[in-house]
Structures are given as C-alpha cells and as structure tokens.
C-alpha cells in the first residue's frame, strides 16, 4: 500500500471528505482511516511522550497492542493512554510452563461454529506437550489439545500466517547408555501441523535420518527446509497423509480420541522413498532470504573470502543479478544485515551502521536476461573524519587507530522497523553524548527515506544490552534487557497545544 507518494501532505479535513465519499467498502474505509492517522501523526504540533514504564525479571513480549509479562501470564493492553491490565493468570508449575506462543486473528470471510472463534486468541505450547487456545482479551481457556507422549514439542512457527502453523520438537539424541547398548532411533524430530480456524490437526510427521545427512539445524514446512550444519540448505518434500479430526476416534490410535491424554495425535504423515531436492545452496550460517519480484534469493557463500558480502541470485536458475553482490565494506563489531522489505514490494533493505540502502530488483518474470539490482533510495549518516585533535595546552595529538563504524560514541543506525498500516519506517539512531547513550527514532517515508518526524527517547540506550523497538500506529515501544532484568518503555503521541483547526 503506497501512501503519500507526492510531496504535499493532505490535511485531515480533505481526508475526511474523501473517506465519506468511499465509505461503502471496508478496505477503502480502513485505508482512509490510516491516512488520517498518518496525517495527524506527522503534524508539527504533536509529539511523543513517555507514558508508562514497567520492569520484569522475565522476558517481555509485545504483540498486536498487547504486552505480556511473566511468561505470558500477565497481559496489558496498550491501546489506551496508559496500559490497562487485561488479565493475570495463576502461576504454572515447571511442567506446565509455556514454551512458545502464537497470536491468532479470526478470518473475516469464514463463518465459524463457535462465537469465540471470531475473536483474537493465543496458541500456547506448554512443557508437558499441551497446546492451549486462550482468549487474547481475558486469558480464558477456549480449547486444549494433547500432542504426543513420544517426544517433547517446544517451538511454534507460522507456516502460512493465520492459516496453518507447525510445532517442532527438540532433536532426539541417543543417551550414552543407548549408544553403549547399540540402540539407535530412526527419527530425529517430529513436526506437528495444524489448521488455525477452526483448530484442527493436519497431522504429525517423523523426520527420519534418511531424509538427509545429520546433524540437522532446522526443518520447516510445507516445503521441507532442511538446514544442515555443513551450511547446505535444501527445499524438498511431498508426503501422504491420513485425515484426522479433533475429538473423534482414529484407527491409528486404536479408536481412541484424537487430542486426548495420553494418546494425543498419531503419526499420520508418511514419506515414501527419497525426496527430490527442489533447491539447494551452500551458505554461511544457514542464512537464506527468499523474495522479490521476480523471485530471488540472498545468501552469503561459506568461503571466508566472501564473508561480509551478500549475493542476490534468481531462484529460477541461480543466475547472479547485475550488481548482485552487495558489500558495505564497513568496519564494525556487528556485520551489516540484509533482508527483503516486509512491505511485500519485493525491495531489499541493506542495513549498516552508517548507511541504509533500499534496493529494487528490475527484471521480467519469463525473461532469459539477468535481473538488475538498483538503488531505490539511501539513508546515510554523514560523519566528519577527525584524526587529529588539539589539547588545551595546544599540543597536537594524532590518532593511531580509527573508530569503529558502530562505535557507541558516534551517530549510528541501530535498527529499522516498518509500520505497514501507515506506511512509515522507524529508524533508530544512537549517539553517545558525554558518555551517555541516547537514542532517536526517526519516522521516515517508506518510498523516499525522507524524515518526517524525529522522536528523542527519554531513557538511556546502552549498546551493551539487548534492545527491541516496536512501532504500532501512534505508539512506540522500547523493550531493553538490563543484566537479568527487562524494562518496558511506552511512548504515545499527544498534542502540544489545543488543536482548534481539528
């Protein structure tokens, strides 16, 4: 969704008139509402102020306007000026500890059997292999499914967002006693696949050692993405399966009920024969990004001579794109990063300590000519190179070493976050002034990089700690980890003065 491509910013009165003219379609109405919100957000007489701070001894999670403390047991809504507590669940035992969580939104195009299915919910995986569906607003238990007694499931991942998800188990390894006795397992891990609305299992798949050489790092679905520790990444798979239904008996369980304790869900997906490899590439650190228009992939070859470079190739035939080797040649503790833009435009964001390049792939879908990588726009921090300083006594001192590009004492790009509803980029810049780390969030145009607003965060930004930033409509959330503690900071927009024109 491309907003505000022109130089002129429309005022709210004009946008309200346009909204009233196109109010028949829900999508159009939402788009106009977001245009109005963006116009208000970028007004000169409005500013962001810190409204709330809270610390915790456990990790803090932010998702879709909700803040989760105490391992998802304590939930606040930050849709108000000051966050309000939605619910607080009782403490769980170690066996019932929540391992991972996904947030589900109900589909608008489906009519579901239960009214609760039409409201946001949380999928929570516990250490005892139970999958719970909880209300996102009240924490009420809506549904629970026992997965399996055969393995320990620990990770939740979206397969197709809000449509299907999968649950991955930990890798199965032989104990020293089993190895001494010559006992070996034929499978390495299990993969459970579910539909979301309504919650129904597709089934459970055993990942066998015969799928590829061990050890595995990751396995994903529906195309098996098998990452080996020798830097190979391959896409493969088609399987056969028997249909299952929650709450109904299955012959695979001896006519016991699917999803009940202690039988859970049977292994009903079988792989017959060897799987054809659809795509394979050797890469550094198992890192491959796939996207673009037409389809391309980005990777770093495993050879040491290619470290710090990013190669962009066609997914169809592996042809290197023109200007397809991107290298920022920066000297920093943390290397530059690259990824496909989350706005689904097919562009690429190449992120470094002093430069952020937004790149575009030019190419035709069925053309035999290689695609070309061109710069869409660039955001840069301009620094003065000062190698000689003069002391108070007049003595000239020449520096023997240059500072790192991401030195905390200099202005440095730290992260970039995309807000899809109002089509803005939030770019975090830090600068160590008088030995104190300060951070500024710049709201930039997604199509030109132009700075619309700059927000100075009140709290200090210490680069030795981990930081996360979330930009959600008119709210900026900063979560930091200080040693063993976590701290949540929320900044909301407010008006500097009465807005008579509105």
């Amino acid at each position: 969704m491309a907003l505000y491509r022109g130089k002129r910013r429309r005022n709210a009165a004009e946008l309200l008139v346009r909204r009233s003219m196109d109010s028949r379609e829900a999508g159009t109405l939402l788009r106009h509402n977001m245009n109005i919100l963006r116009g208000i957000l970028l007004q000169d007489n409005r500013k962001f102020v810190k409204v709330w701070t809270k610390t915790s001894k456990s990790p803090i999670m932010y998702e879709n306007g909700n803040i989760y403390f105490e391992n998802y047991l304590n939930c606040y809504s930050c849709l108000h000026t000051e966050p309000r507590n939605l619910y607080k669940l009782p403490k769980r035992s170690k066996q019932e500890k929540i391992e991972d969580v996904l947030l589900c939104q109900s589909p608008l195009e489906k009519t579901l059997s239960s009214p609760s299915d039409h409201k946001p919910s949380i999928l929570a995986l516990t250490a005892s292999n139970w999958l719970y569906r909880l209300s996102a607003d009240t924490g009420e238990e809506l549904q629970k499914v026992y997965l399996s007694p055969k393995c320990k499931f620990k990770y939740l991942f979206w397969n197709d967002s809000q449509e299907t998800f999968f649950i991955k188990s930990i890798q199965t390894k032989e104990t020293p006693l089993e190895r001494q006795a010559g006992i070996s397992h034929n499978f390495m891990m299990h993969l459970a696949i579910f539909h979301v609305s309504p919650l129904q299992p597709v089934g459970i798949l055993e990942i066998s050692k015969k799928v590829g050489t061990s050890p595995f790092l990751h396995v994903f679905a529906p195309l098996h993405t098998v990452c080996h520790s020798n830097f190979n990444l391959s896409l493969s798979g088609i399987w056969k399966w028997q249909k299952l239904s929650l709450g109904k008996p299955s012959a695979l369980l001896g006519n016991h009920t699917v999803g009940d304790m202690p039988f859970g869900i049977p292994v009903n997906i079988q792989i017959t024969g060897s799987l054809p490899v659809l795509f394979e590439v050797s890469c550094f650190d198992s890192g491959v990004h796939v996207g673009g228009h037409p389809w391309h992939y980005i990777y770093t070859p495993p050879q040491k001579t290619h470290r710090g470079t990013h190669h962009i190739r066609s997914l169809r035939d592996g042809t290197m794109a023109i200007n397809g080797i991107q290298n920022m040649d920066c000297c920093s503790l943390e290397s530059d990063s690259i990824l496909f833009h989350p706005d689904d435009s097919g562009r690429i964001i190449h992120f470094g300590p002093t430069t952020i390049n937004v790149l575009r792939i030019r190419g035709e879908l069925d053309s035999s000519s290689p695609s070309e990588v061109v710069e869409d726009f660039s955001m840069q921090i301009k620094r003065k190179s000062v190698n000689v300083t003069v002391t108070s006594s007049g003595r000239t001192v020449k520096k023997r070493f240059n500072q790192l590009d991401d030195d905390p004492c200099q202005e440095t790009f730290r992260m970039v976050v995309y807000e899809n509803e109002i089509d803005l980029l939030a770019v975090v810049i830090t600068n160590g002034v008088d030995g104190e780390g300060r951070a500024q969030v710049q709201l930039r145009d997604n199509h030109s990089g132009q700075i619309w607003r700059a927000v100075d965060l009140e709290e200090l930004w210490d680069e030795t700690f981990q930081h996360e930033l979330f930009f959600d409509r008119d709210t900026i959330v900063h979560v930091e980890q200080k040693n063993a503690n976590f701290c949540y900071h929320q900044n909301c927009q407010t008006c500097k003065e009465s807005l008579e024109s509105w």
Side-chain angles (χ1 to χ4, degrees), residues 280-490:
E280 185 173 11
V281 62
S282 296
C283 56
F284 171 68
D285 201 24
S286 303
V288 174
H289 302 276
V290 180
H293 308 306
W295 289 100
H296 282 68
Y297 65 94
I298 306 172
Y299 75 106
T300 297
Q303 294 81 7
K304 289 184 178 180
T305 55
H306 293 293
R307 299 289 169 85
T309 66
H310 306 278
H311 295 223
I312 304 172
R313 294 180 178 269
S314 169
L315 188 62
R316 182 181 61 182
D317 54 13
T319 303
M320 175 74 75
I322 300 173
N323 301 325
I325 299 179
Q326 296 293 317
N327 182 11
M328 281 194 172
D329 195 23
C330 54
C331 180
S332 57
L333 290 176
E334 295 186 7
S335 60
D336 58 306
S337 59
I338 194 168
L339 71 159
F340 283 98
H341 201 305
D343 68 352
D344 294 330
S345 63
R347 296 180 296 171
I348 298 170
I349 297 179
H350 192 184
F351 183 91
T354 60
T355 304
I356 301 176
N357 292 327
V358 178
L359 311 173
R360 188 179 296 274
I361 299 175
R362 287 181 179 173
E364 300 295 331
L365 184 61
D366 298 321
S367 175
S368 59
S369 301
S371 302
E372 182 181 6
V373 178
V374 297
E375 182 181 292
D376 200 15
F377 63 88
S378 180
M379 298 173 277
Q380 296 182 349
I381 293 177
K382 296 182 180 180
R383 294 175 178 171
K384 294 181 180 180
S385 179
V386 181
N387 293 323
V388 178
T389 58
V390 180
T391 65
S392 58
S393 62
R395 186 166 59 94
T396 301
V397 179
K398 186 176 181 180
K399 293 182 179 179
R400 298 181 60 185
F401 302 100
N402 293 325
Q403 286 180 301
L404 294 174
D405 290 336
D406 59 351
D407 192 293
C409 296
Q410 303 182 96
E411 278 193 340
T412 306
F413 287 129
R414 293 301 176 184
M415 60 182 68
V416 57
V417 179
Y418 175 63
E419 216 299 335
N420 63 325
E421 292 184 295
I422 54 179
D423 201 32
L424 287 175
L425 294 172
V427 179
V428 178
I429 296 180
T430 60
N431 190 8
V433 181
D434 298 329
E436 291 186 343
R438 293 290 179 180
Q440 183 184 81
V441 181
Q442 295 180 348
L443 305 185
R444 292 177 175 256
D445 190 278
N446 185 39
H447 303 281
S448 66
Q450 179 181 352
I451 299 177
W452 290 119
R453 292 291 304 276
V455 181
D456 293 320
L457 300 183
E458 291 183 15
E459 64 273 10
L460 298 179
W461 187 293
D462 190 336
E463 266 307 306
T464 59
F465 299 136
Q466 293 185 354
H467 299 266
E468 286 184 288
L469 190 96
F470 303 92
F471 180 32
D472 192 355
R473 295 187 179 181
D474 62 344
T475 302
I476 295 176
V477 171
H478 174 211
V479 179
E480 61 179 334
Q481 180 179 356
K482 293 183 178 181
N483 299 322
N485 294 323
F486 297 82
C487 192
Y488 175 93
H489 309 277
Q490 180 171 319

Side-chain angles (χ1 to χ4, degrees), residues 23-138:
S23 60
R24 290 174 294 179
E25 298 182 11
T28 304
L29 181 60
L30 177 62
R31 186 164 59 251
H32 284 314
N33 287 340
M34 292 301 102
N35 278 343
I36 294 172
L37 177 61
R38 173 176 166 143
I40 296 174
L41 191 73
L42 300 179
Q43 279 189 323
D44 295 334
N45 60 349
R46 301 190 70 85
K47 66 175 182 178
F48 282 85
V49 296
K50 182 187 285 191
V51 297
W52 201 60
T53 297
K54 185 176 174 63
T55 58
S56 174
K57 292 185 178 180
S58 59
I60 301 172
M61 308 297 173
Y62 178 88
E63 185 76 39
N64 197 34
N66 286 349
I67 319 150
Y68 299 95
F69 297 92
E70 300 174 24
N71 199 28
Y72 300 98
L73 298 180
N74 194 3
C75 177
Y76 285 78
S77 171
C78 67
L79 299 180
H80 309 87
T81 304
E82 183 173 323
R84 299 179 182 177
N85 186 256
L86 292 180
Y87 60 83
K88 186 173 183 179
L89 301 178
K91 291 185 178 181
R92 291 174 173 264
S93 63
K94 187 176 181 181
Q95 291 75 19
E96 285 298 315
K97 175 189 174 184
I98 295 178
E99 298 279 8
D100 206 354
V101 161
L102 289 178
L103 181 65
C104 299
Q105 301 288 345
S106 62
L108 299 176
E109 73 280 3
K110 293 182 181 179
T111 301
L112 303 175
S113 57
S114 174
S116 64
D117 293 340
H118 290 277
K119 296 181 180 180
S121 59
I122 296 172
L123 294 173
L125 174 66
T126 68
S128 56
N129 274 359
W130 281 94
L131 178 68
Y132 288 89
R133 189 167 70 90
L134 309 174
S135 170
D137 298 325
T138 64

Side-chain angles (χ1 to χ4, degrees), residues 112-270:
L112 303 175
S113 57
S114 174
S116 64
D117 293 340
H118 290 277
K119 296 181 180 180
S121 59
I122 296 172
L123 294 173
L125 174 66
T126 68
S128 56
N129 274 359
W130 281 94
L131 178 68
Y132 288 89
R133 189 167 70 90
L134 309 174
S135 170
D137 298 325
T138 64
E140 177 189 358
E141 181 185 308
L142 304 176
Q143 198 172 359
K144 67 176 183 177
V145 179
Y146 184 68
L147 297 176
S148 175
K150 295 183 178 180
C151 59
K152 177 176 173 53
F153 287 97
K154 193 170 184 178
Y155 308 102
L156 288 171
F157 297 97
W158 283 116
N159 173 32
D160 186 6
S161 182
Q162 304 299 332
E163 292 288 339
T164 55
F165 68 95
F166 59 96
I167 314 172
K168 192 178 75 171
S169 73
I170 61 175
Q171 294 188 24
T172 302
K173 298 180 180 180
E174 291 88 1
T175 64
L177 290 177
E178 288 176 332
R179 286 195 296 268
Q180 188 177 359
I183 301 174
S184 62
H185 302 288
N186 292 326
F187 58 88
M188 296 195 67
M189 64 178 67
H190 288 75
L191 201 68
I193 310 169
F194 278 79
H195 288 295
V196 176
S197 300
L199 185 63
Q200 284 292 343
V202 176
I204 291 183
L205 166 71
E206 284 183 348
I207 306 298
S208 170
K209 293 180 181 179
K210 296 180 181 180
V211 173
T213 58
S214 62
F216 291 98
L217 294 182
H218 305 289
V219 179
F220 301 102
L223 296 175
H224 281 167
T225 306
V226 183
C227 299
H228 307 265
S229 62
N230 60 358
F231 306 126
N232 287 331
L233 184 145
S234 58
L235 297 180
S236 58
I238 297 177
W239 49 62
K240 294 182 179 180
W241 61 283
Q242 298 183 35
K243 188 174 181 180
L244 300 173
S245 295
L246 280 182
K248 294 186 178 180
S250 170
L252 296 175
L253 294 174
N255 287 328
H256 291 287
T257 305
V258 175
D260 281 0
M261 184 83 171
F263 302 100
I265 299 172
V267 176
N268 64 325
I269 303 175
Q270 303 293 334

